[in-house]
Short mmCIF file of all heavy atoms in Angstrom, two decimals:
data_model
loop_
_atom_site.label_atom_id
_atom_site.label_comp_id
_atom_site.label_asym_id
_atom_site.label_seq_id
_atom_site.Cartn_x
_atom_site.Cartn_y
_atom_site.Cartn_z
N LYS Z 243 -9.14 -3.79 35.07
CA LYS Z 243 -8.74 -4.36 36.35
C LYS Z 243 -9.35 -3.61 37.53
O LYS Z 243 -9.47 -4.15 38.63
CB LYS Z 243 -7.21 -4.32 36.43
CG LYS Z 243 -6.65 -5.37 37.29
CD LYS Z 243 -5.16 -5.51 37.05
CE LYS Z 243 -4.65 -6.43 38.16
NZ LYS Z 243 -3.32 -6.20 38.55
N ASN Z 244 -9.70 -2.35 37.32
CA ASN Z 244 -10.26 -1.55 38.42
C ASN Z 244 -11.75 -1.77 38.58
O ASN Z 244 -12.44 -0.92 39.15
CB ASN Z 244 -10.01 -0.06 38.15
CG ASN Z 244 -8.56 0.23 37.97
OD1 ASN Z 244 -7.71 -0.43 38.56
ND2 ASN Z 244 -8.25 1.23 37.16
N ARG Z 245 -12.25 -2.86 38.09
CA ARG Z 245 -13.67 -3.17 38.19
C ARG Z 245 -14.54 -2.13 37.50
O ARG Z 245 -15.69 -1.93 37.88
CB ARG Z 245 -14.11 -3.26 39.66
CG ARG Z 245 -14.01 -4.62 40.22
CD ARG Z 245 -12.61 -4.88 40.78
NE ARG Z 245 -12.53 -6.19 41.38
CZ ARG Z 245 -11.74 -7.15 40.96
NH1 ARG Z 245 -10.96 -6.97 39.94
NH2 ARG Z 245 -11.71 -8.31 41.60
N GLU Z 246 -13.98 -1.47 36.52
CA GLU Z 246 -14.81 -0.49 35.80
C GLU Z 246 -15.40 -1.12 34.55
O GLU Z 246 -14.70 -1.83 33.83
CB GLU Z 246 -13.94 0.72 35.39
CG GLU Z 246 -13.54 1.58 36.56
CD GLU Z 246 -12.44 2.57 36.19
OE1 GLU Z 246 -11.67 2.33 35.26
OE2 GLU Z 246 -12.38 3.61 36.85
N LEU Z 247 -16.66 -0.84 34.33
CA LEU Z 247 -17.29 -1.35 33.11
C LEU Z 247 -17.03 -0.34 32.00
O LEU Z 247 -17.46 0.80 32.09
CB LEU Z 247 -18.79 -1.51 33.34
CG LEU Z 247 -19.60 -1.99 32.14
CD1 LEU Z 247 -19.24 -3.42 31.80
CD2 LEU Z 247 -21.08 -1.89 32.45
N ILE Z 248 -16.34 -0.72 30.97
CA ILE Z 248 -15.97 0.20 29.91
C ILE Z 248 -17.07 0.29 28.86
O ILE Z 248 -17.48 1.36 28.48
CB ILE Z 248 -14.68 -0.27 29.21
CG1 ILE Z 248 -13.58 -0.50 30.23
CG2 ILE Z 248 -14.25 0.71 28.15
CD1 ILE Z 248 -13.08 0.73 30.87
N GLN Z 249 -17.49 -0.87 28.38
CA GLN Z 249 -18.60 -0.83 27.44
C GLN Z 249 -19.35 -2.15 27.48
O GLN Z 249 -18.84 -3.15 28.00
CB GLN Z 249 -18.11 -0.53 26.03
CG GLN Z 249 -17.32 -1.62 25.36
CD GLN Z 249 -18.10 -2.40 24.33
OE1 GLN Z 249 -18.98 -1.87 23.68
NE2 GLN Z 249 -17.79 -3.65 24.21
N LEU Z 250 -20.56 -2.09 26.96
CA LEU Z 250 -21.42 -3.25 27.01
C LEU Z 250 -22.15 -3.29 25.68
O LEU Z 250 -22.68 -2.27 25.24
CB LEU Z 250 -22.41 -3.07 28.15
CG LEU Z 250 -23.25 -4.23 28.57
CD1 LEU Z 250 -22.36 -5.35 29.04
CD2 LEU Z 250 -24.13 -3.79 29.71
N SER Z 251 -22.17 -4.44 25.06
CA SER Z 251 -22.83 -4.46 23.75
C SER Z 251 -23.66 -5.72 23.61
O SER Z 251 -23.12 -6.82 23.63
CB SER Z 251 -21.75 -4.40 22.67
OG SER Z 251 -22.31 -4.53 21.39
N LYS Z 252 -24.94 -5.52 23.51
CA LYS Z 252 -25.79 -6.67 23.22
C LYS Z 252 -26.68 -6.26 22.06
O LYS Z 252 -27.56 -5.43 22.22
CB LYS Z 252 -26.64 -7.08 24.42
CG LYS Z 252 -27.44 -8.35 24.10
CD LYS Z 252 -28.43 -8.67 25.18
CE LYS Z 252 -29.15 -9.96 24.87
NZ LYS Z 252 -29.73 -10.04 23.53
N ASN Z 253 -26.43 -6.82 20.91
CA ASN Z 253 -27.19 -6.42 19.73
C ASN Z 253 -28.15 -7.49 19.33
O ASN Z 253 -27.80 -8.47 18.68
CB ASN Z 253 -26.24 -6.15 18.56
CG ASN Z 253 -25.29 -5.02 18.88
OD1 ASN Z 253 -25.69 -3.97 19.33
ND2 ASN Z 253 -24.01 -5.27 18.67
N GLY Z 254 -29.39 -7.36 19.72
CA GLY Z 254 -30.40 -8.32 19.30
C GLY Z 254 -30.10 -9.70 19.83
O GLY Z 254 -29.52 -9.88 20.89
N GLY Z 255 -30.50 -10.69 19.14
CA GLY Z 255 -30.32 -12.06 19.61
C GLY Z 255 -31.37 -12.37 20.66
O GLY Z 255 -32.22 -11.55 20.99
N ILE Z 256 -31.33 -13.57 21.21
CA ILE Z 256 -32.37 -13.94 22.17
C ILE Z 256 -32.18 -13.15 23.45
O ILE Z 256 -31.06 -12.83 23.85
CB ILE Z 256 -32.38 -15.45 22.48
CG1 ILE Z 256 -31.04 -15.90 23.06
CG2 ILE Z 256 -32.73 -16.23 21.24
CD1 ILE Z 256 -31.14 -17.30 23.61
N PRO Z 257 -33.26 -12.80 24.09
CA PRO Z 257 -33.14 -12.01 25.32
C PRO Z 257 -32.56 -12.88 26.44
O PRO Z 257 -32.78 -14.07 26.49
CB PRO Z 257 -34.60 -11.62 25.63
CG PRO Z 257 -35.44 -12.50 24.80
CD PRO Z 257 -34.65 -13.04 23.69
N ILE Z 258 -31.79 -12.25 27.32
CA ILE Z 258 -31.25 -12.99 28.46
C ILE Z 258 -31.79 -12.40 29.74
O ILE Z 258 -32.25 -11.26 29.79
CB ILE Z 258 -29.70 -12.96 28.49
CG1 ILE Z 258 -29.19 -11.52 28.57
CG2 ILE Z 258 -29.13 -13.64 27.29
CD1 ILE Z 258 -27.73 -11.44 28.91
N ASN Z 259 -31.68 -13.16 30.78
CA ASN Z 259 -32.11 -12.75 32.09
C ASN Z 259 -31.20 -11.63 32.58
O ASN Z 259 -30.00 -11.70 32.48
CB ASN Z 259 -31.96 -13.97 33.02
CG ASN Z 259 -32.74 -13.77 34.29
OD1 ASN Z 259 -32.97 -12.65 34.71
ND2 ASN Z 259 -33.11 -14.89 34.90
N ALA Z 260 -31.78 -10.58 33.14
CA ALA Z 260 -30.97 -9.44 33.56
C ALA Z 260 -30.01 -9.83 34.68
O ALA Z 260 -28.91 -9.29 34.77
CB ALA Z 260 -31.87 -8.30 34.00
N ASN Z 261 -30.41 -10.77 35.55
CA ASN Z 261 -29.50 -11.21 36.63
C ASN Z 261 -28.24 -11.77 36.05
O ASN Z 261 -27.14 -11.60 36.59
CB ASN Z 261 -30.15 -12.33 37.45
CG ASN Z 261 -31.22 -11.77 38.35
OD1 ASN Z 261 -31.23 -10.58 38.62
ND2 ASN Z 261 -32.11 -12.64 38.81
N VAL Z 262 -28.43 -12.47 34.97
CA VAL Z 262 -27.29 -13.14 34.34
C VAL Z 262 -26.23 -12.13 33.94
O VAL Z 262 -25.03 -12.38 34.05
CB VAL Z 262 -27.79 -13.91 33.10
CG1 VAL Z 262 -26.64 -14.36 32.25
CG2 VAL Z 262 -28.63 -15.09 33.54
N LEU Z 263 -26.67 -10.96 33.53
CA LEU Z 263 -25.74 -9.92 33.11
C LEU Z 263 -24.77 -9.61 34.25
O LEU Z 263 -23.55 -9.56 34.07
CB LEU Z 263 -26.55 -8.68 32.75
CG LEU Z 263 -25.76 -7.51 32.21
CD1 LEU Z 263 -25.01 -7.94 30.98
CD2 LEU Z 263 -26.70 -6.37 31.85
N LEU Z 264 -25.32 -9.40 35.44
CA LEU Z 264 -24.45 -9.06 36.56
C LEU Z 264 -23.55 -10.23 36.92
O LEU Z 264 -22.36 -10.06 37.21
CB LEU Z 264 -25.32 -8.71 37.78
CG LEU Z 264 -26.15 -7.44 37.61
CD1 LEU Z 264 -27.07 -7.25 38.80
CD2 LEU Z 264 -25.24 -6.24 37.47
N GLU Z 265 -24.15 -11.42 36.86
CA GLU Z 265 -23.37 -12.61 37.18
C GLU Z 265 -22.18 -12.75 36.25
O GLU Z 265 -21.06 -13.05 36.69
CB GLU Z 265 -24.28 -13.82 36.96
CG GLU Z 265 -24.30 -14.82 38.07
CD GLU Z 265 -25.24 -15.94 37.70
OE1 GLU Z 265 -24.76 -16.88 37.02
OE2 GLU Z 265 -26.43 -15.83 38.05
N LEU Z 266 -22.43 -12.57 34.96
CA LEU Z 266 -21.36 -12.73 33.98
C LEU Z 266 -20.26 -11.70 34.21
O LEU Z 266 -19.07 -12.01 34.13
CB LEU Z 266 -21.89 -12.58 32.56
CG LEU Z 266 -22.76 -13.71 32.04
CD1 LEU Z 266 -23.22 -13.40 30.64
CD2 LEU Z 266 -22.02 -15.02 32.05
N SER Z 267 -20.67 -10.46 34.50
CA SER Z 267 -19.65 -9.42 34.73
C SER Z 267 -18.79 -9.83 35.92
O SER Z 267 -17.57 -9.68 35.90
CB SER Z 267 -20.31 -8.08 35.06
OG SER Z 267 -21.24 -7.76 34.08
N PHE Z 268 -19.44 -10.35 36.94
CA PHE Z 268 -18.72 -10.74 38.14
C PHE Z 268 -17.75 -11.87 37.84
O PHE Z 268 -16.57 -11.84 38.23
CB PHE Z 268 -19.75 -11.16 39.19
CG PHE Z 268 -19.17 -11.31 40.55
CD1 PHE Z 268 -18.64 -10.21 41.21
CD2 PHE Z 268 -19.14 -12.53 41.17
CE1 PHE Z 268 -18.10 -10.33 42.46
CE2 PHE Z 268 -18.60 -12.66 42.44
CZ PHE Z 268 -18.08 -11.56 43.08
#
Side-chain angles (χ1 to χ4, degrees):
Chain Z
K243 207 165 170 210
N244 303 329
R245 269 87 178 118
E246 289 167 334
L247 178 68
I248 307 291
Q249 70 103 31
L250 191 60
S251 175
K252 184 189 183 309
N253 298 311
I256 59 168
I258 59 167
N259 196 334
N261 285 341
V262 168
L263 184 58
L264 295 174
E265 228 180 87
L266 289 179
S267 307
F268 192 64

